[in-house]
Amino acid sequence: MPKKKGLTYLDVAESWPRLSAADRARRLKQLPPEAAHEFFFDLSAADQVEVLLMLPPGERRLWIRLLAPDDVADVIQAAPTDQRSGLLALLDEPTRAEVTALLAYAEDEAGGLMNPRYIRVRPDMTAAEALGYFRRQAQERSGRDTPAFAYILDVEGTLLGQVSLTDLIAADHATSVSRLMQTDIITIPAAADQEEVAHLFAEHSLVAAPVVDEKGRMKGVVTADDVVAVVEEEATEDIQKLGGSAALDAPYLKTAFHRMVRKRAGWLSALFLGEMLTATAMAFFETEIARAVVLALFVPLIISSGGNSGSQASTLVIRAMALGEVRLRDWWRVIRRELAAGLVLVWQMVSPLYGQHYMLVAATVFCSLIGVVTFGTFAGSLLPFILRRLGFDPASASAPFVATLVDVTGLVIYFTAASLILRGTVL
Amino acid sequence: MPKKKGLTYLDVAESWPRLSAADRARRLKQLPPEAAHEFFFDLSAADQVEVLLMLPPGERRLWIRLLAPDDVADVIQAAPTDQRSGLLALLDEPTRAEVTALLAYAEDEAGGLMNPRYIRVRPDMTAAEALGYFRRQAQERSGRDTPAFAYILDVEGTLLGQVSLTDLIAADHATSVSRLMQTDIITIPAAADQEEVAHLFAEHSLVAAPVVDEKGRMKGVVTADDVVAVVEEEATEDIQKLGGSAALDAPYLKTAFHRMVRKRAGWLSALFLGEMLTATAMAFFETEIARAVVLALFVPLIISSGGNSGSQASTLVIRAMALGEVRLRDWWRVIRRELAAGLVLVWQMVSPLYGQHYMLVAATVFCSLIGVVTFGTFAGSLLPFILRRLGFDPASASAPFVATLVDVTGLVIYFTAASLILRGTVL
């Protein structure tokens, strides 16, 4: 592709991660205005704040006013608390009102994700008139994308339907909008969680969807490009929780060391306290161990097998929940399935052991493994349901959490099996 | 919203999951044609195949020809092997050629994700002429979305730039396309992994991006609505691998039991064989255990602490890699950071233990925990780098895998610390 002379969007994009905040602001201003605006739109809210705060107050006003209200709301949320009212004050009155309304929605709700500006047309307009609205919007929003739809609202603001730019372009100029209107459309409640929004977009390949309040009044529009970022963010949060830490909420290498340690230490310490119970359980069986040291040899094997099968089960169930494939009412179906899986899995794992010589100890290990792996899959699949029922995020049933829970039980199962099988021989 | 009489898109969407394949095909045909087509477009490729195969061959042809070439390619890939050539034969000749070309790309490459049809204009056209192209496309593609851009190519098919529908609508009719053309755009190599494509879309809030081959020739377009589904799919794969199983590639409750067991048993069995080494390690220290049974009591505590810190570290690093926040060359930075985190974390975990009575054993446990947790974070953060370097998916360094690795080492660290500290007293 031929390059324009001078600095381009792509040049700046390439050097961006290595630049200091001051250099970023300077470099941005070296771009031709249109490219600079486009680049600024594409930045994350955190980077936009950084650039804004490096500019003198007069220029700040120009740049923040380029942004759509939903993007301004993100910028305000990303700004340090003491800068927020200063940034809000840079807006014109109607935009400030819109942004304040958006800030009232939680960041992870459809309402916090939507753009409150959209094209509104009347059902008795002609296609040519409606196209005129698109044309005017397009002229005002240089560098930004055209909305794909206009929305038809009644006098109370209730959404009646939508008409696509495609259909308007394809139609005769004189056709009335009401003839082109689609009424059978997927709408998103303003209070819907952003995870739900993402599923609706993925399931129906949506490009844009209107957000409505409980009374069906239109509040704004969510578009697919916003949703891409949301899906990545939600998956990252779940994965970090599954690994047994709190969500970092920032890129790994950019998270300050003390913040990262704080996010991780909580869970690790709690798990450690849980693991101290294993020492208690072991102490309870101290006489058995003293009599047959061979029993101690298999302790790590037993508890890890339970932990592994449990982590596997909980991870699969948690992801299925996050994708909406499994709901609370499916709990019994899932548990039954996991119990059966546990039994088959332990058979596949231990059948190579079957011919082992040390028969009685082998029998003990064998029976315990059946118990522990089955209990592991059971606990691993049940725990996410319990957490969700109690109103917690099921992703907190992390692999390490499940493993710890199963460790203590695994020891009890193992030594109980040992006393039943080995009593009268080694014990 | 007022409902049309008769069955609507939303009615069918609601009952869909509970319907059999035959009922699905029947219900779809009860919708008014436009709604039926739209519903069919929005189905997953697997559901589209199911419906198609329920229809008599004459109708199959009508329905499959409604789909864009990239969607047909997905349908063919989702169809049973013995049905594929039959479905391909239903297409007209040019579409069959396009679909065959798409099938040559891997499903998870940009080339497998793109739509090979796009609007191509010449730089010397006027805005009005270019809009005419959009108009014609829109008339041909009833029920589908308008493309947001037209692309300007030279005679060899090399991409020169793009012009947005927005700019065309906003411009004077007589303006030449070359004046409206954006040349500074993000392009996607046809061989780019779909994970890379997703990051580009998330990072730059893209609505659509052109796909080009190594010579800069335009091959097709990827749009944000396709990418939403990709991001969910990639995250699911990574999460399932992190949980210590192979990716299920299908919704949890829809995966056949024997398939699910097969996907999970492989890893569990491998991990089990790895865990057998813990029994070997324990046997090596059997005399120490026999002399001081108290040592055995802390074995589960030690190995789990190592496993937990290791799982945490590997999960964070793997996600950071998947998001492109951490690259191979960052390995030393990450490991240094994780080692430091390990030391701080173990201090936060065990400092409450500090005042314990049983001084020498407490000292042993304490020192071992420092060693094990530090080794855990070290191994957990290094392993994803090694796997990626060897060309494997770093997400295979699952929590259970890391835990197993750390278990064996943890035992060696613990008993070595014990023989150093306790020699001459209990040992």
Side-chain angles (χ1 to χ4, degrees):
Chain A
M1 194 174 318
K3 290 245 166 191
K4 283 190 218 148
K5 273 176 217 150
L7 208 60
T8 68
Y9 181 108
L10 295 176
D11 296 335
V12 181
E14 213 173 322
S15 61
W16 195 257
R18 292 186 306 277
L19 296 178
S20 69
D23 284 339
R24 286 178 170 189
R26 202 169 310 126
R27 186 61 62 92
L28 195 60
K29 291 200 278 181
Q30 291 167 352
L31 277 175
E34 204 182 317
H37 296 169
E38 210 186 310
F39 194 90
F40 185 65
F41 296 148
D42 290 350
L43 288 176
S44 69
D47 281 4
Q48 285 170 337
V49 170
E50 197 191 69
V51 167
L52 280 174
L53 295 180
M54 288 312 293
L55 297 170
E59 286 182 49
R60 271 186 213 172
R61 179 189 307 270
L62 294 176
W63 285 88
I64 200 169
R65 288 190 176 199
L66 288 171
L67 295 172
D70 55 329
D71 294 330
V72 177
D74 291 342
V75 162
I76 305 274
Q77 255 150 353
T81 330
D82 56 334
Q83 298 283 354
R84 290 184 187 172
S85 58
L87 289 172
L88 265 174
L90 299 174
L91 302 169
D92 59 69
E93 185 44 44
T95 311
R96 186 157 56 236
E98 282 176 321
V99 170
T100 314
L102 287 177
L103 288 172
Y105 290 104
E107 226 179 318
D108 58 354
E109 283 177 1
L113 203 65
M114 72 189 183
N115 184 342
R117 293 190 186 161
Y118 51 88
I119 303 181
R120 178 180 174 165
V121 295
R122 288 192 316 273
D124 55 344
M125 275 182 186
T126 63
E129 285 172 314
L131 264 179
Y133 273 72
F134 274 97
R135 192 179 152 94
R136 226 159 308 141
Q137 269 255 340
Q139 284 165 337
E140 280 167 18
R141 298 160 53 107
S142 104
R144 272 190 248 124
D145 314 302
T146 348
F149 300 98
Y151 298 90
I152 299 107
L153 277 60
D154 69 13
V155 281
E156 266 118 43
T158 311
L159 178 66
L160 301 175
Q162 67 184 18
V163 56
S164 71
L165 178 53
T166 318
D167 289 343
L168 287 175
I169 291 180
D172 248 356
H173 284 338
T175 316
S176 95
V177 162
S178 61
R179 286 201 40 214
L180 300 170
M181 176 167 84
Q182 306 159 12
T183 54
D184 215 15
I185 53 179
I186 291 173
T187 59
I188 296 178
D193 184 271
Q194 63 179 7
E195 216 165 355
E196 267 173 81
V197 177
H199 295 320
L200 282 174
F201 270 76
E203 209 179 318
H204 301 281
S205 309
L206 297 177
V207 168
V211 177
V212 295
D213 68 10
E214 336 57 74
K215 291 183 176 151
R217 281 176 311 216
M218 175 133 179
K219 293 288 157 188
V221 181
V222 176
T223 48
D225 54 321
D226 298 325
V227 175
V228 171
V230 163
V231 178
E232 277 211 348
E233 187 191 312
E234 288 278 335
T236 301
E237 255 183 57
D238 274 7
I239 287 174
Q240 290 174 341
K241 286 187 187 164
L242 283 170
S245 80
L248 294 186
D249 296 328
Y252 173 83
L253 284 174
K254 287 193 186 159
T255 309
F257 186 74
H258 67 98
R259 257 180 84 82
M260 188 183 74
V261 166
R262 216 171 42 226
K263 299 240 173 199
R264 293 164 65 168
W267 264 112
L268 273 195
S269 305
L271 293 171
F272 182 75
L273 293 180
E275 284 293 343
M276 306 239 311
L277 292 178
T278 57
T280 317
M282 291 286 281
F284 191 78
F285 296 107
E286 203 172 346
T287 24
E288 279 85 354
I289 300 173
R291 260 187 251 155
V293 172
V294 66
L295 280 181
L297 306 190
F298 296 99
V299 163
L301 179 71
I302 299 283
I303 63 174
S304 306
S305 299
N308 289 345
S309 60
S311 310
Q312 214 186 46
S314 72
T315 307
L316 292 179
V317 171
I318 288 166
R319 186 58 184 169
M321 276 188 176
L323 292 178
E325 294 166 9
V326 160
R327 286 166 213 287
L328 262 182
R329 61 170 181 273
D330 297 320
W331 73 275
W332 178 232
R333 246 175 104 191
V334 171
I335 308 291
R336 240 175 19 206
R337 197 176 155 91
E338 284 299 316
L339 275 177
L343 281 170
V344 179
L345 287 171
V346 71
W347 179 255
Q348 302 217 355
M349 276 161 55
V350 300
S351 47
L353 273 189
Y354 196 61
Q356 198 146 328
H357 301 303
Y358 210 142
M359 278 310 287
L360 279 182
V361 173
T364 305
V365 171
F366 187 77
C367 295
S368 312
L369 279 173
I370 294 180
V372 168
V373 171
T374 315
F375 179 77
T377 51
F378 173 74
S381 54
L382 188 59
L383 204 60
F385 286 99
I386 296 179
L387 286 175
R388 168 161 285 189
R389 189 74 194 74
L390 297 177
F392 296 108
D393 182 349
S396 308
S398 58
F401 182 16
V402 172
T404 300
L405 189 78
V406 176
D407 280 357
V408 181
T409 329
L411 288 174
V412 176
I413 294 176
Y414 176 50
F415 284 107
T416 311
S419 24
L420 291 176
I421 297 176
L422 302 182
R423 181 155 321 279
T425 59
V426 275
L427 284 184
Chain B
M1 196 176 315
K3 291 244 166 190
K4 283 190 219 152
K5 273 178 217 148
L7 208 59
T8 69
Y9 181 108
L10 295 176
D11 296 335
V12 180
E14 214 173 322
S15 60
W16 194 257
R18 293 186 305 276
L19 296 178
S20 70
D23 284 338
R24 286 178 169 190
R26 203 169 311 127
R27 186 61 62 91
L28 195 60
K29 291 200 279 180
Q30 290 166 355
L31 277 176
E34 204 182 317
H37 297 170
E38 210 185 309
F39 194 90
F40 185 65
F41 296 148
D42 290 350
L43 289 175
S44 70
D47 281 4
Q48 286 171 337
V49 169
E50 196 191 69
V51 167
L52 279 173
L53 296 180
M54 289 311 294
L55 296 170
E59 286 181 49
R60 267 184 217 175
R61 179 189 308 269
L62 295 176
W63 285 89
I64 201 169
R65 289 191 176 199
L66 289 172
L67 295 172
D70 55 331
D71 294 330
V72 177
D74 292 340
V75 162
I76 304 272
Q77 255 150 352
T81 330
D82 57 333
Q83 297 284 353
R84 290 185 186 173
S85 58
L87 288 172
L88 265 175
L90 299 173
L91 302 170
D92 59 69
E93 184 46 42
T95 310
R96 186 158 54 242
E98 282 177 320
V99 171
T100 313
L102 286 177
L103 288 171
Y105 289 105
E107 226 180 317
D108 57 355
E109 283 177 1
L113 203 64
M114 72 188 182
N115 184 343
R117 291 190 188 163
Y118 51 89
I119 303 181
R120 176 179 175 166
V121 295
R122 289 193 316 274
D124 56 345
M125 275 184 187
T126 64
E129 284 171 312
L131 264 180
Y133 273 72
F134 274 97
R135 192 179 152 93
R136 226 161 306 143
Q137 269 254 343
Q139 284 164 339
E140 278 167 20
R141 296 159 54 107
S142 105
R144 273 190 247 124
D145 313 301
T146 349
F149 299 98
Y151 298 91
I152 299 104
L153 276 60
D154 69 13
V155 283
E156 267 119 42
T158 310
L159 178 65
L160 301 176
Q162 67 184 19
V163 56
S164 71
L165 179 52
T166 318
D167 289 343
L168 287 175
I169 291 179
D172 248 355
H173 285 339
T175 316
S176 96
V177 162
S178 61
R179 286 203 39 215
L180 299 169
M181 176 167 85
Q182 306 159 11
T183 53
D184 214 15
I185 52 179
I186 292 173
T187 60
I188 297 178
D193 184 88
Q194 62 180 7
E195 216 166 354
E196 266 174 82
V197 177
H199 296 319
L200 282 175
F201 270 75
E203 209 178 319
H204 300 281
S205 310
L206 298 177
V207 168
V211 176
V212 295
D213 67 10
E214 348 39 88
K215 290 184 177 150
R217 281 177 310 217
M218 173 130 180
K219 292 289 156 190
V221 182
V222 176
T223 49
D225 53 319
D226 298 325
V227 174
V228 172
V230 163
V231 178
E232 276 210 349
E233 186 190 312
E234 288 279 335
T236 302
E237 252 183 61
D238 274 7
I239 288 175
Q240 290 174 341
K241 286 187 187 163
L242 284 171
S245 79
L248 294 186
D249 295 329
Y252 174 82
L253 284 174
K254 287 192 185 160
T255 309
F257 186 75
H258 66 98
R259 256 180 85 84
M260 189 182 73
V261 165
R262 215 171 42 225
K263 298 242 174 194
R264 292 165 65 170
W267 264 112
L268 272 195
S269 305
L271 293 171
F272 182 76
L273 293 180
E275 284 295 341
M276 306 241 309
L277 292 178
T278 58
T280 317
M282 290 287 280
F284 191 78
F285 297 108
E286 204 172 346
T287 26
E288 279 83 356
I289 299 174
R291 261 188 249 154
V293 172
V294 66
L295 280 180
L297 307 190
F298 296 99
V299 162
L301 179 70
I302 300 282
I303 63 175
S304 307
S305 300
N308 290 344
S309 58
S311 310
Q312 214 186 48
S314 72
T315 308
L316 292 179
V317 171
I318 289 165
R319 186 59 184 168
M321 275 187 175
L323 291 178
E325 295 167 8
V326 160
R327 285 164 213 288
L328 263 182
R329 61 169 181 273
D330 297 319
W331 72 275
W332 178 232
R333 244 176 104 194
V334 170
I335 307 290
R336 239 173 22 203
R337 196 176 155 91
E338 284 300 316
L339 276 176
L343 282 170
V344 178
L345 287 171
V346 71
W347 179 255
Q348 301 218 354
M349 277 163 54
V350 299
S351 47
L353 272 189
Y354 196 62
Q356 199 147 327
H357 302 304
Y358 212 142
M359 279 311 288
L360 279 181
V361 172
T364 306
V365 171
F366 185 79
C367 295
S368 312
L369 280 172
I370 294 180
V372 169
V373 171
T374 314
F375 180 78
T377 50
F378 173 74
S381 54
L382 187 59
L383 204 59
F385 286 99
I386 296 178
L387 286 176
R388 168 161 284 189
R389 189 74 195 75
L390 297 176
F392 296 108
D393 183 349
S396 308
S398 58
F401 181 17
V402 172
T404 300
L405 189 77
V406 176
D407 280 357
V408 180
T409 331
L411 289 174
V412 176
I413 294 176
Y414 176 50
F415 285 107
T416 311
S419 27
L420 291 176
I421 297 177
L422 302 181
R423 182 155 321 279
T425 59
V426 276
L427 286 184

